[in-house]
Amino acid sequence: MTTVETSVREGVAHLVLDRPSALNALDTGTVLAMRGALDRWRGDPGVRAVVVRSGTPRAFCAGGDIRAIREAALRGDFAATTRFFREEYALNQEIAEYPKPYVALIDGVAMGGGLGISVHGAVRVATERSVFAMPETLIGFFPDVGACSFLPRLGGALGRYLGLTGARLSGADAVKAGLATHFVSSADLPEFTAALDTAELDDALAKYARTPPPSELDDIGGRIAAAFAPGTLSEVGDRLRADGSAWAETTLGSLAAASPLSLRLTDEMLRLGERDSLAQCLRRDLAVAARLVREPDFAEGVRAKLVDKTGDARWSFASGEAVPHERIAELLGG
């Protein structure tokens, strides 16, 4: 079954994600199709830019097909899980290094791997329907696809907040944070997409890009910076309780729902990612992902969140403080 449609019009290549029943979740076939198309267009003098978008208004890309990865892991088919992550992360690196403008039209949900096929591109267009999130700690995983490279670089402790809690950002939030580069109204998106075929990219952006609406980050940015400043996870919790706002209560709830193992691991990976290149982070992502899918928290987290949808995950550790440093070192390969 085809999950990616490709075409070239007037020198612009289009990648259209077409797996609506799974909200365009990425499987190995989809990733390989995207890589194959990008490889073909890389050296084609008739292609001047690449546009990636969704064929459904429901989502841009909901991430990797985590349920399929869990099923493979439960079967003991770790060759399949490792292959998926290897190909996905190679795609992320290729997008980051692509020699032609790579334009992602992020209309709808972009989570996990959906950020991996958009945020690394040169132009990331958000709309009022966009939802950005890296909710991996809630399923016993970690923010991968190079997130430990781009999240720490957002500033104001925002990346730590997003990586640990899985909090969602609107399109306006994403532009303010730097995850998106432009804002276009969803109503204008069809005309903007058509304009990309006939006009220069900068001209199309100048015509259709708008100032985004006010961002919630204007109100909570200071709280995020104070609560998620350097310090232990226990200190983050203390700061949130001292804050006492509705936002702080919601954030404490998100942390309480996450896998303690994932929280500790993610926090360390974000710290390491501050100084490492994207390529280094993706290599670490692959090593850690290959190990983490063998952990009980991954199968349990995906079951509770995505399979049974009961939200009753029984984690391996009671708190982040209960996770031995040696366990984190083992997962990191240290």
Side-chain angles (χ1 to χ4, degrees):
M1 182 179 69
T2 301
T3 56
V4 179
E5 296 179 0
T6 62
S7 62
V8 179
R9 301 193 296 269
E10 302 295 331
V12 175
H14 292 263
L15 273 170
V16 181
L17 304 176
D18 188 26
R19 200 183 179 204
S21 62
L23 299 181
N24 294 331
L26 304 173
D27 59 9
T28 302
T30 302
V31 170
L32 290 174
M34 293 183 70
R35 291 194 66 194
L38 290 175
D39 288 343
R40 290 196 306 274
W41 295 329
R42 174 186 290 269
D44 186 342
V47 172
R48 55 186 170 87
V50 174
V51 176
V52 59
R53 55 191 173 89
S54 171
T56 172
R58 296 177 62 202
F60 172 71
C61 173
D65 192 340
I66 294 296
R67 280 180 287 192
I69 295 168
R70 175 182 182 267
E71 290 168 5
L74 289 174
R75 293 195 306 269
D77 190 357
F78 296 112
T81 60
T82 299
R83 184 191 184 206
F84 169 75
F85 290 124
R86 180 182 295 113
E87 296 294 347
E88 182 185 26
Y89 302 159
L91 173 62
N92 301 151
Q93 186 72 49
E94 182 168 8
I95 290 169
E97 298 176 343
Y98 209 64
K100 299 176 181 182
Y102 179 99
V103 183
L105 306 185
I106 312 159
D107 188 37
V109 172
M111 295 187 179
L115 272 70
I117 61 169
S118 57
V119 169
H120 297 302
V123 178
R124 291 96 63 187
V125 176
T127 77
E128 75 279 4
R129 299 193 304 193
S130 300
V131 179
F132 291 69
M134 297 293 296
E136 284 77 8
T137 61
L138 302 175
I139 58 168
F141 202 57
F142 70 99
D144 61 337
V145 298
C148 290
S149 173
F150 64 75
L151 286 179
R153 289 165 172 78
L154 297 183
L158 179 60
R160 191 184 191 197
Y161 163 65
L162 296 175
L164 292 176
T165 68
R168 298 184 174 195
L169 297 181
S170 68
D173 296 334
V175 172
K176 184 173 182 61
L179 291 175
T181 57
H182 300 82
F183 187 92
V184 173
S185 167
S186 61
D188 290 338
L189 210 55
E191 288 186 16
F192 173 66
T193 304
L196 292 173
D197 293 341
T198 58
E200 293 297 323
L201 175 59
D202 288 345
D203 293 337
L205 288 168
K207 182 176 180 179
Y208 289 97
R210 301 286 184 265
T211 300
S215 165
E216 185 185 10
L217 296 178
D218 294 329
D219 297 324
I220 64 171
R223 295 183 185 278
I224 292 171
F228 288 86
T232 65
L233 291 175
S234 179
E235 289 171 330
V236 169
D238 289 342
R239 294 168 191 157
L240 288 168
R241 282 184 284 273
D243 178 296
S245 67
W247 167 81
E249 289 299 319
T250 298
T251 302
L252 282 167
S254 297
L255 292 172
S259 158
L261 178 64
S262 292
L263 290 174
R264 279 288 306 278
L265 176 63
T266 296
D267 213 27
E268 181 61 15
M269 293 186 72
L270 290 170
R271 187 187 68 80
L272 294 171
E274 291 179 3
R275 56 175 170 75
D276 289 342
S277 67
L278 174 61
Q280 289 171 312
C281 288
L282 287 171
R283 283 195 294 271
R284 185 181 298 116
D285 284 355
L286 180 57
V288 173
R291 298 183 183 106
L292 199 59
V293 294
R294 299 170 180 261
E295 293 288 324
D297 273 17
F298 175 70
E300 174 66 0
V302 177
R303 176 203 66 77
K305 191 74 174 177
L306 301 177
V307 179
D308 296 341
K309 300 181 181 179
T310 53
D312 61 347
R314 297 178 292 275
W315 303 121
S316 300
F317 298 93
S319 67
E321 291 73 26
V323 180
H325 175 75
E326 293 75 17
R327 290 293 294 113
I328 302 303
E330 289 170 4
L331 290 169
L332 290 170

